[in-house]
Amino acid sequence: MLSKAQELKNEIIRLRRDIHQHPELSFEEERTAKLVAETLDEIGIKTVKTQVGRTGVIADIGTGSGPTIGIRADMDALPITEKTDVPWKSQTEGIMHACGHDAHTAILLGVAHMLQQDFVDNGSKWNGTVRLLFQPSEEKFDEQGISGATAMISDEALQGVDNTIALHVSSDRESGKLYFADGMALAAVDAFEATIYGDGGHGASPHTGSDPLFILSNVLPHIYGIPGRRVAPLESCIVSLGSIHAGKAMNVIPGEVYINGTIRTFSDEVRATVHEELERSFKFAEVMGGSYKLSINKGYPAMYNTASVNDVMRGVTGEFAGAEAIVNGTFGMGAEDFSYMTAAAPGAMFMLGADNGGGAHHTSLFDIDEDVFPMGAAVLAETARRYVTGEAQM
């Protein structure tokens, strides 16, 4: 599989650059989905289904019997104006692939090519099915709280799938290394927004009413004190504030102040505790003569990587790149809606180091090392091949 992936390197890069030049936002991936479907058809895969989870694409390779493994790639871009000077930079103003989803899609198309050819050549050894999952909208929920993964699951994209695998390119990890994390690998993320209400008034007479900014100055220490004071220091927990807005004139005490932020946790117990403590923090507004309104929107759950699935991918990586290419540890407090898929069909995601000195994820200068694509594709393809031939158990 590694030699096949290396032969496909230029094609994978071509596809990635094509997608990169034509980025599409969440649930708007019409061109990308069309490119995926047409490429799968050209490869010889005739089981393609489109409009799964709205703009997603799925296809099966295999016998239709035995166990099924799903391989997922996300397709959406971000509302960012690209500032790189690469020849294949985004041609759509204000939209950019700044997280590597273009690479994920292209790599999975390479995987599809390799597995389809293996099935044609060695189908008698297969006793299982590989489901290709090209997913929309990883970056955001819609107005109804639906993400790409949940939309695809609702459309039965995982029906009959026993295990799932995926990769994520990483611009801030050493190129050529593959990173694995067992158990809770990425955090659950929730968003909150609140408004504190006071009386407002003249800046010369602050004593005549309640000042929402003064109230907030007392609320903030309690919010920042949740990690380590209300949640045990050994528990993973982050409460980050994103914006605060109040007033426009220097001599007017505003009547309200708006605040928002995110909560990141690993365990359900800690997640619930942070929600309770955030509510308690804002209750200081009432003690100080004001009032408040708080809403917490639950986002992606924590992503759980099944160790036995990682073990297969680690073994393949060791054979292809040597033990020195394997890095074990946690991924951090980022979030991924692949967590919905691993909850429905136990699986794992690995990080593919792709640092080339470019910008970080979700920035206008984001860039990655394309030379790592064959290794990522080979590990996914060989893992799936061993699964459907019974050479590996998960």
Side-chain angles (χ1 to χ4, degrees):
M1 284 299 177
L2 182 56
S3 62
K4 291 178 180 178
Q6 289 167 339
E7 291 173 3
L8 286 168
K9 177 181 176 180
N10 289 339
E11 176 63 7
I12 295 172
I13 291 174
R14 183 192 70 80
L15 287 165
R16 181 256 168 165
R17 292 180 178 181
D18 183 322
I19 297 167
H20 191 91
Q21 286 181 297
H22 304 95
E24 296 170 300
L25 295 175
S26 301
F27 286 128
E28 298 177 11
E29 307 92 336
E30 300 289 349
R31 182 189 184 278
T32 307
K34 184 173 185 290
L35 173 65
V36 167
E38 289 176 349
T39 303
L40 293 175
D41 183 69
E42 291 167 4
I43 290 169
I45 300 171
K46 304 304 179 182
T47 57
V48 178
K49 295 181 180 179
T50 59
Q51 297 182 319
V52 180
R54 300 185 199 173
T55 48
V57 180
I58 67 172
D60 286 351
I61 305 171
T63 63
S65 61
T68 297
I69 185 168
I71 312 177
R72 175 270 208 169
D74 38 15
M75 302 188 294
D76 55 329
L78 288 157
I80 296 174
T81 298
E82 183 162 5
K83 294 182 180 179
T84 71
D85 57 2
V86 296
W88 55 89
K89 70 183 295 184
S90 171
Q91 296 179 6
T92 305
E93 183 66 26
I95 304 177
M96 174 191 177
H97 272 289
C99 199
H101 297 186
D102 51 343
H104 303 165
T105 300
I107 288 171
L108 186 52
L109 287 171
V111 170
H113 191 287
M114 290 186 284
L115 289 174
Q116 174 65 10
Q117 188 60 53
D118 190 79
F119 183 64
V120 170
D121 294 340
N122 305 295
S124 61
K125 298 178 182 179
W126 283 46
N127 182 35
T129 301
V130 177
R131 181 160 301 161
L132 309 169
L133 301 159
F134 294 89
Q135 179 203 304
S137 192
E138 190 281 327
E139 294 291 358
K140 62 178 289 188
F141 288 111
D142 68 5
E143 295 78 6
Q144 287 75 46
I146 297 171
S147 74
T150 55
M152 291 194 80
I153 291 170
S154 294
D155 276 359
E156 301 183 344
L158 292 186
Q159 184 174 19
V161 174
D162 300 287
N163 294 103
T164 51
I165 57 175
L167 63 72
H168 201 302
V169 294
S170 179
S171 70
D172 55 359
R173 289 180 170 87
E174 183 179 348
S175 186
K177 303 283 189 181
L178 283 75
Y179 297 76
F180 298 89
D182 294 339
M184 290 300 184
L186 288 169
V189 60
D190 303 321
F192 70 89
E193 56 182 351
T195 303
I196 295 176
Y197 302 97
D199 299 322
H202 199 294
S205 308
H207 60 289
T208 60
S210 57
D211 179 349
L213 284 169
F214 178 55
I215 293 172
L216 178 63
S217 70
N218 285 269
V219 170
L220 289 179
H222 292 271
I223 293 176
Y224 282 118
I226 293 173
R229 290 297 180 270
R230 307 307 298 172
V231 173
L234 294 179
E235 295 282 1
S236 298
C237 167
I238 295 175
V239 181
S240 296
L241 303 184
S243 66
I244 298 173
H245 299 282
K248 294 182 179 179
M250 68 179 69
N251 61 347
V252 176
I253 296 173
E256 60 185 58
V257 56
Y258 171 85
I259 180 172
N260 66 21
T262 58
I263 303 163
R264 296 175 187 271
T265 56
F266 279 134
S267 80
D268 290 339
E269 293 78 12
V270 171
R271 193 179 195 181
T273 297
V274 175
H275 290 193
E276 293 170 3
E277 292 300 329
L278 196 62
E279 186 80 41
R280 186 174 297 173
S281 297
F282 279 100
K283 283 189 178 296
F284 273 86
E286 297 174 346
V287 174
M288 299 181 68
S291 61
Y292 74 96
K293 180 180 180 181
L294 169 67
S295 64
I296 301 174
N297 300 310
K298 294 187 73 172
Y300 304 155
M303 187 180 76
Y304 187 88
N305 278 346
T306 300
S308 60
V309 178
N310 265 340
D311 286 342
V312 178
M313 295 194 290
R314 269 191 288 253
V316 172
T317 300
E319 292 179 29
F320 286 172
E324 64 275 10
I326 300 171
V327 181
N328 294 306
T330 59
F331 292 160
M333 299 297 282
E336 247 284 354
D337 84 335
F338 184 57
S339 57
Y340 291 112
M341 292 194 177
T342 59
M349 169 185 284
F350 68 86
M351 295 289 173
L352 180 63
D355 182 5
N356 70 344
H361 289 258
H362 290 217
T363 69
S364 60
L365 294 174
F366 173 81
D367 197 12
I368 49 177
D369 180 4
E370 296 177 323
D371 288 338
V372 304
F373 293 177
M375 182 58 68
V379 171
L380 290 177
E382 179 63 12
T383 297
R385 188 199 67 78
R386 293 184 185 185
Y387 181 90
V388 298
T389 59
E391 297 172 43
Q393 302 295 320
M394 295 181 181

